[in-house]
Amino acid sequence: MRKTLLATVAAAGMATLALGTLNAQDAPAPGAIDLAAVDAGDYATDPAHSLVVWEISHLGFNDYFGIFGDVEGTLSIDPANVEAAALDVTIPIAAVTVPSEGLKDHLLRPGKDGGDPDFFGPEPEAARFVSTAVHKTGDTTAHIMGDLTFNGVTKPVTIQAELSGMGTNAMSQKETLGFHGTTTIKRSDWNLAWGIPFGISDEVDLEISVAFEK
């Protein structure tokens, strides 16, 4: 009886494995890119899976990282005319995440004696990026030019963007487009120059990972 049961379980397992292999061969991989299948129209971010990672040199010794999560915004796109795409996103600066509670306190600390804060201050407004132009650089890549408004200053920024995945989200059942992007900014351009004479880098590398849902 025990041998019969084991044989049945093994046979069922082999059949399941074979069926899974067959389905995997017939179905596209999750996130596989097929530009012809992109549905034109308006998309909104999935904030729980959209973020901006920042990297800055600390005194020239090592790099330090932080995250702005819950990025919200919209994307209008037509695969037949990618350069007409429009992007408008906001990044909640007040919700910055860093490994050190001491550093987070410093980032959000008010200025001394009523002066300007060293970094963001206790109630920083969200940053906002609004595209002004899109230039295709490849089948799935583009330069997105736009204005970044942050800390009361608006400056032009160019993001090197890539379509990283697309398809129907198995969890939400929503049509989804995923993008990765990179850019480098100088924080002094946005009046955040504290620590620059001591070796804290003026340049900040940004890595962007955003999911847009239809």
Side-chain angles (χ1 to χ4, degrees):
M1 178 67 178
R2 185 170 178 272
K3 290 183 178 180
T4 302
L5 179 59
L6 289 175
T8 302
V9 171
M14 292 300 293
T16 301
L17 179 60
L19 180 59
T21 302
L22 180 61
N23 288 339
Q25 291 173 345
D26 294 340
I33 295 175
D34 178 5
L35 296 178
V38 174
D39 190 10
D42 297 329
Y43 292 73
T45 60
D46 169 9
H49 299 96
S50 298
L51 54 94
V52 177
V53 178
W54 52 267
E55 177 183 355
I56 191 169
S57 174
H58 177 247
L59 301 177
F61 296 126
N62 66 322
D63 292 338
Y64 198 86
F65 302 85
I67 297 175
F68 299 116
D70 293 325
V71 174
E72 295 186 352
T74 58
L75 169 69
S76 297
I77 189 169
D78 181 353
N81 187 13
V82 171
E83 296 194 341
L87 176 66
D88 186 342
V89 296
T90 58
I91 303 100
I93 302 301
V96 61
T97 298
V98 291
S100 166
E101 285 299 319
L103 176 58
K104 183 171 183 177
D105 176 73
H106 192 183
L107 292 175
L108 301 178
R109 183 188 306 163
K112 293 182 179 179
D113 302 321
D116 292 334
D118 292 339
F119 294 105
F120 307 137
E123 297 180 355
E125 292 186 359
R128 183 183 182 190
F129 179 82
V130 180
S131 65
T132 55
V134 176
H135 292 167
K136 281 188 65 176
T137 57
D139 289 340
T140 60
T141 58
H143 286 168
I144 303 175
M145 282 71 76
D147 293 326
L148 176 63
T149 300
F150 169 50
N151 202 33
V153 178
T154 300
K155 293 277 187 179
V157 169
T158 298
I159 297 172
Q160 290 76 48
E162 178 181 12
L163 177 63
S164 55
M166 57 174 286
T168 300
N169 185 318
M171 302 296 291
S172 66
Q173 296 302 308
K174 293 181 179 180
E175 185 176 350
T176 303
L177 300 176
F179 291 90
H180 290 160
T182 60
T183 191
T184 300
I185 64 173
K186 289 187 175 182
R187 58 190 177 94
S188 61
D189 287 343
W190 282 268
N191 296 330
L192 292 172
W194 189 90
I196 291 175
F198 311 117
I200 299 178
S201 176
D202 188 12
E203 290 191 344
V204 181
D205 294 330
L206 303 179
E207 295 191 15
I208 303 144
S209 181
V210 183
F212 287 96
E213 297 178 330
K214 193 83 161 56

